[in-house]
Amino acid sequence: MSETGASPLPPTPPAHSPLFRAEQFVWLTARVLEQRLFAYHFLNGAADPVETALDAYRNEDGGYGHALEPDLRGPVSQPLHTGHALRILDAIQRVAGQRVDRVCRYLTSVSTPDGALPAIHPSQRGYPAAPFIPIVDDPPSALLATGPVVGLLHRNEVWHAWLFRATDFCWQAVESLEKSHPYEIEAAVAFLDSAPDRPRAEAAADRLGRLVREHGLAALEPDNLDAYPVSPGYAPGEHHFPHDYARTPRSLARAWFTDDEMSRSLDHLAGEQQEDGGWPIRWRQWAPGVALEARPMVTIEALRTLRAYGRHIG
C-alpha cells in the first residue's frame, strides 16, 4: 500500500503508445470515477474503488444523479444517470445484490404507464441540462433509456417485476422501428445483444442492420463523410460508424458490416486520438465543463473497443 492509501499499480505502458498517452490524459482531466475505471480496465486496478467512487452519485431513492451523465446537471436521479451507473457496475461485474434491488425500485417509481423509462424525468426541471434534451411534464417511454437497462439486467440474470413489462416494451419498440437515428439504434442493439429470446433477437437485429444500411446511419467510408447524412438534431459532423453499433465482435451488429468496413471503422477510431491523448466527443458541446467530463469517458470506451477487436493499444 502506498503512502496515499492507494494500491500500487503496475508499470505504465510504453511511452507514446495509445494507452500511455490516454493514461496521461485521464490523470490530467478525469473525475475520480473515470480515473478508477481506467485503472480497473487497463492497469489491473481493483473493482472496489470504482464502486466506492460511483457511490458518490447514488441517491436515497436508489437512482443516480449529480451529473453522472454529464449532459444532465444537478443532484436529482434520472434514468440516463442510472443506466450509466449500471453500465459501470456491469463492467466491474457488480450487477447483483441489494444495490440492484434498489435500482429496480427506482426504475419502477419513474416508469411510464406502459412500464418503460422516459429519457428525462420532469424532476430535472430547474437544473441545467443540454439544450437538445427536452424536459416535459408527461414524458413518453423511450427505447433510448429503456433498451440498454433491460438488456444489461437480463445479461446479469437479474429478475425483478419491473423487467417484464419493460421487456415487452423493448420488443415492441425494436420490432416496429421504421425510421430511427443512431443513438436509438445503439440502444436497440444493447437490448438485443442480451435479450433472452435469441432467435427473435437475431431476426430483429438482421432487420435493423438492413435499416441502418438503407438509411445511411453508419458511415462506411470514413474518408468520404460528406456522402453520409447527419441525423436531424445532431451536431454538424456527428456521424456514427460500424464500431459504434458493434462495440465488440460478439455483438449482433457485427454481422451488419463486412470485415473491410469494420477495419476501416477501427482505423478511423484509432486515428481520432488527439494530441493530448484523449478522444474527442462528437455530440454538441454546450458547456466547457461538460466536454471536459465527457472526454475521459469517451476515451475509455474507445480503448475498450479497440482492445475488444484485438487492436494494439500498448
Side-chain angles (χ1 to χ4, degrees):
M1 190 72 71
S2 70
E3 292 180 1
T4 64
S7 298
L9 296 174
T12 54
H16 308 302
S17 70
L19 186 58
F20 176 82
R21 293 167 56 210
E23 182 186 353
Q24 299 306 301
F25 172 77
V26 165
W27 296 137
L28 181 65
T29 67
R31 305 181 295 191
V32 172
L33 175 59
E34 281 73 39
Q35 291 178 26
R36 293 299 200 178
L37 199 56
F38 184 93
Y40 174 83
H41 284 304
F42 305 109
L43 301 174
N44 295 330
D48 284 351
V50 179
E51 197 166 8
T52 299
L54 183 61
D55 275 344
Y57 299 87
R58 182 161 57 89
N59 287 320
E60 289 299 316
D61 60 9
Y64 289 76
H66 305 278
L68 177 58
E69 181 66 47
D71 279 326
L72 296 176
R73 316 304 292 183
V76 295
S77 297
Q78 284 290 327
L80 291 179
H81 294 314
T82 306
H84 187 77
L86 284 171
R87 284 193 295 276
I88 292 172
L89 292 171
D90 180 56
I92 63 173
Q93 301 179 50
R94 294 288 176 88
V95 182
Q98 291 186 347
R99 178 191 298 276
V100 176
D101 289 340
R102 290 194 296 266
V103 166
C104 288
R105 286 200 295 272
Y106 164 74
L107 298 175
T108 302
S109 73
V110 296
S111 289
T112 58
D114 55 8
L117 298 174
I120 305 295
H121 189 270
S123 60
Q124 182 65 35
R125 185 175 281 110
Y127 297 103
F132 48 81
I133 300 177
I135 301 171
V136 298
D137 289 331
D138 188 20
S141 300
L143 180 62
L144 187 72
T146 312
V149 169
V150 171
L152 189 150
L153 293 176
H154 279 306
R155 181 165 65 253
N156 287 275
E157 299 182 344
V158 173
W159 289 104
H160 187 275
W162 177 80
L163 266 174
F164 292 99
R165 293 182 67 208
T167 300
D168 288 342
F169 166 81
C170 289
W171 280 123
Q172 190 277 330
V174 168
E175 293 176 336
S176 63
L177 282 179
E178 295 297 339
K179 293 187 66 177
S180 188
H181 58 94
Y183 290 120
E184 187 173 51
I185 297 291
E186 290 175 20
V189 171
F191 167 68
L192 294 173
D193 275 346
S194 299
D197 188 338
R198 299 316 298 155
R200 187 178 181 183
E202 290 166 8
D206 182 65
R207 190 184 74 83
L208 283 188
R210 292 195 299 271
L211 185 151
V212 164
R213 296 185 74 93
E214 289 168 5
H215 291 260
L217 298 181
L220 303 179
E221 299 174 32
D223 294 333
N224 186 28
L225 293 179
D226 290 342
Y228 298 91
V230 173
S231 293
Y234 283 33
E238 192 177 351
H239 294 94
H240 287 240
F241 301 89
H243 66 261
D244 291 312
Y245 298 103
R247 295 188 181 274
T248 76
R250 298 183 301 278
S251 173
L252 290 173
R254 175 62 185 88
W256 300 353
F257 309 108
T258 68
D259 289 349
D260 285 345
E261 288 167 348
M262 185 57 71
S263 181
R264 287 196 296 271
S265 181
L266 294 168
D267 287 345
H268 178 74
L269 177 62
E272 281 193 309
Q273 189 174 21
Q274 300 190 326
E275 286 295 319
D276 61 8
W279 267 259
I281 60 173
R282 297 198 299 267
W283 61 90
R284 199 177 303 278
Q285 301 181 33
W286 60 280
V290 172
L292 186 67
E293 290 177 354
R295 284 191 65 208
M297 297 161 55
V298 171
T299 296
I300 291 170
E301 287 307 305
L303 290 168
R304 292 185 68 196
T305 298
L306 291 168
R307 184 172 65 181
Y309 280 94
R311 293 297 184 101
H312 177 74
I313 59 174

